[in-house]
Every structure is written in C-alpha cells, then in structure tokens.
Amino acid sequence: GDEHHGDEHHEKEVHSEFVANYSMVCEKPENFKFIGLKLFNSFELMEEVKVQWIIQEKQGFEELTPDSPNLEF
C-alpha cells in the first residue's frame, strides 16, 4: 500500500520587499522631532522597515518595528 514515511509539512516563508521615497518640506525644521510610522497597524505581518533619512545636513539609518515605530531625529 501507500505509506507516508516522515510525513513532513514545510511551511514556506514569504519575504516581500518594496521601496518608497518621500520628500517633505518643513517651514520650521527645528520643530521636526520624529515621524510615526503607522504602516504596522495596517500590515500586521510586517516585521520591520529599514529607513535611510537625510534632514538638514544630518543623515542616518534606522530599522523600525511594530514595538518601535517612530523615526526620531
């Protein structure tokens, strides 16, 4: 007969990537302290967002997560 040896179920991980570019003009950049990312509210399976930023001669890189969704300057 048909025997199933080691009947294994492999779940396949799915990785998705997208790139977005945003440019903002702020009349009072000294008051600009952070950006709150609400994407995690809409996409519950999203684990992280990698952000590269440039603001007033400063630049940086951050990894935002559902527990830490704010990009602070």
Side-chain angles (χ1 to χ4, degrees), residues 14-29:
V14 176
H15 295 274
S16 297
E17 235 178 83
F18 67 91
V19 175
N21 293 302
Y22 290 91
S23 178
M24 295 179 251
V25 176
C26 185
E27 292 180 13
K28 296 183 180 180

Side-chain angles (χ1 to χ4, degrees), residues 34-48:
F34 73 94
I35 294 176
L37 187 67
K38 295 186 178 186
L39 248 141
F40 297 109
N41 297 340
S42 299
F43 299 96
E44 295 175 1
L45 295 179
M46 185 177 291
E47 295 176 0
E48 69 180 9

Side-chain angles (χ1 to χ4, degrees), residues 2 4 6-7 11 22 24 27-28 30 34 36-37 43-44 49-50 53 55 58 62-63 67-70 72:
D2 289 325
H4 295 279
D7 203 7
E11 289 189 28
Y22 290 91
M24 295 179 251
E27 292 180 13
K28 296 183 180 180
E30 64 276 4
F34 73 94
L37 187 67
F43 299 96
E44 295 175 1
V49 173
K50 295 179 182 178
W53 56 270
I55 183 172
K58 296 182 200 174
E62 297 287 333
E63 287 188 4
D67 293 331
S68 182
N70 293 336
E72 297 184 23

